[in-house]
Amino acid sequence: QETREKKKVLNSLMSGALAGAVAKTAVAPLDRTKIMFQVSSKRFSAKEAYRLIYRTYLNEGLWSLWRGNSATMVRVIPYAAIQFCAHEEYKQLLGSYYGFQGKALTPFPRFIAGSLAGTTAAMLTYPLDMVRARMAVTPKEMYSNIVHVFIRISREEGLKTLYRGFTPTIIGVIPYAGLSFFTYETLKKLHADHSGKLQPSPPERLLFGACAGLIGQSASYPLDVVRRRMQTAGVMGHTYSSILLTMQEIIREEGLIRGLYKGLSMNWVKGPIAVGISFTTFDLMQILLRKLQHSSNVER
């Protein structure tokens, strides 16, 4: 029993790590562009986003569109591994608490499991997210690598800076992770109930994940903008001391919709793709690992 439990946790960690890495690498250029708009006062439009991507490509080369992706990988691999693994564990805990052991959870525990998983992962990997945001918005001469970012921030701005923007992150991750996991799990359950098939096909999983990403990211987007502003304040010439003051300044300078929802339309492209790939990769990896373990047990 103990060995089986350990294998299950290891499978979840491996599947989650791969899911996060594949999803984030696929949308890295869009992600970097979105962050650059979020932290500036420039107006966002699809045309401006395209111009920024094209200018970056001409001036700094193709691979510059993935600048900061190494920091993303350092963050997203442990983040996704912890989040997916924690979600499986919280589902099991809530299932035994509410008496749904082995069965699908009801809606409220389903949302709670997702929120707790996201919060656990965010708390354990936050400084890496901070470093990644800094690398995305600065020229490569400023920070040569991830370690360099950590050293410079610690020396010039203090260790506390590594946790700047932490509160809006946690407040934002509760609806984001909760609604993402809730939507995906709910759509899978509805599919099983109506189609009679135990498992959806990979394209169906991608679609369910895309819906989950769309709902989750739309619900928490203003806090994502606030978080990015607070994280990059030190290099963008701003001083943001709290969530409310940051929101007030953004609204005063840029307006409610244009400021707090800047880049959301790009997120509606990027988010569903990333979350769809992430959930699908995780599920398919879990199925593959279970099959491999089963066949090795049969051979024994």
Side-chain angles (χ1 to χ4, degrees):
Q1 181 62 38
E2 200 179 312
T3 310
R4 199 157 60 233
E5 195 58 41
K6 277 180 186 168
K7 275 184 183 171
K8 200 175 125 233
V9 169
L10 193 62
N11 284 358
S12 295
L13 286 169
M14 283 166 59
S15 305
L18 185 69
V22 173
K24 278 292 183 184
T25 302
V27 296
L30 293 175
D31 214 13
R32 186 184 179 209
T33 306
K34 182 201 74 171
I35 292 171
M36 287 169 90
F37 273 102
Q38 282 182 328
V39 302
S40 76
S41 53
K42 269 191 245 169
R43 269 182 68 175
F44 176 84
S45 69
K47 200 176 185 180
E48 283 301 314
Y50 170 73
R51 272 191 193 147
L52 179 60
I53 291 171
Y54 189 59
R55 257 201 323 270
T56 307
Y57 162 67
L58 287 179
N59 297 336
E60 300 175 44
L62 179 67
W63 294 115
S64 69
L65 295 172
W66 273 267
R67 175 160 167 74
N69 196 50
S70 57
T72 303
M73 289 301 104
V74 170
R75 171 197 163 254
V76 91
I77 288 171
Y79 179 91
I82 293 164
Q83 181 176 241
F84 278 106
C85 182
H87 183 246
E88 294 299 305
E89 294 304 306
Y90 285 131
K91 272 200 309 186
Q92 202 172 311
L93 278 170
L94 288 164
S96 56
Y97 179 77
Y98 284 102
F100 300 122
Q101 201 67 44
K103 288 184 278 183
L105 292 171
T106 51
F108 182 66
R110 211 177 293 157
F111 174 81
I112 294 295
S115 294
L116 287 171
T119 306
T120 304
M123 285 172 77
L124 293 172
T125 61
Y126 185 77
L128 295 166
D129 186 46
M130 166 76 173
V131 166
R132 186 260 164 165
R134 283 289 179 99
M135 283 188 82
V137 300
T138 53
K140 58 185 171 204
E141 300 79 46
M142 189 164 181
Y143 299 119
S144 53
N145 56 45
I146 301 158
V147 178
H148 188 212
V149 188
F150 271 110
I151 292 166
R152 273 195 70 173
I153 290 175
S154 306
R155 198 170 54 224
E156 293 169 16
E157 300 171 58
L159 280 169
K160 268 172 73 177
T161 306
L162 290 170
Y163 280 87
R164 188 182 287 155
F166 179 71
T167 309
T169 300
I170 295 301
I171 296 169
V173 90
I174 291 167
Y176 170 64
L179 285 168
S180 297
F181 279 107
F182 169 81
T183 306
Y184 186 66
E185 295 280 317
T186 301
L187 289 171
K188 279 206 304 184
K189 188 178 182 302
L190 288 170
H191 174 269
D193 292 345
H194 287 87
S195 69
K197 288 193 289 184
L198 279 174
Q199 296 291 347
S201 65
E204 285 167 338
R205 287 181 198 277
L206 276 170
L207 182 63
F208 299 162
C211 292
L214 195 65
I215 292 166
Q217 294 196 328
S218 299
S220 61
Y221 195 77
L223 285 156
D224 192 41
V225 175
V226 170
R227 165 176 71 125
R228 293 303 183 200
R229 290 290 176 101
M230 290 177 83
Q231 286 176 335
T232 57
V235 289
M236 301 302 282
H238 284 280
T239 50
Y240 297 120
S241 55
S242 72
I243 299 169
L244 285 175
L245 288 174
T246 307
M247 277 187 168
Q248 280 171 4
E249 193 169 323
I250 293 168
I251 292 165
R252 190 173 61 247
E253 288 178 5
E254 301 162 57
L256 177 67
I257 304 298
R258 283 185 185 148
L260 288 178
Y261 287 89
K262 183 188 286 181
L264 178 60
S265 54
M266 180 178 275
N267 236 39
W268 283 342
V269 176
K270 176 193 81 74
I273 294 169
V275 180
I277 291 171
S278 181
F279 278 127
T280 306
T281 306
F282 177 78
D283 277 358
L284 296 179
M285 264 297 284
Q286 285 281 78
I287 291 163
L288 177 67
L289 288 169
R290 276 199 292 266
K291 277 182 181 170
L292 288 171
Q293 279 176 3
H294 180 70
S295 60
S296 70
N297 288 341
V298 168
E299 278 170 24
R300 274 193 215 135

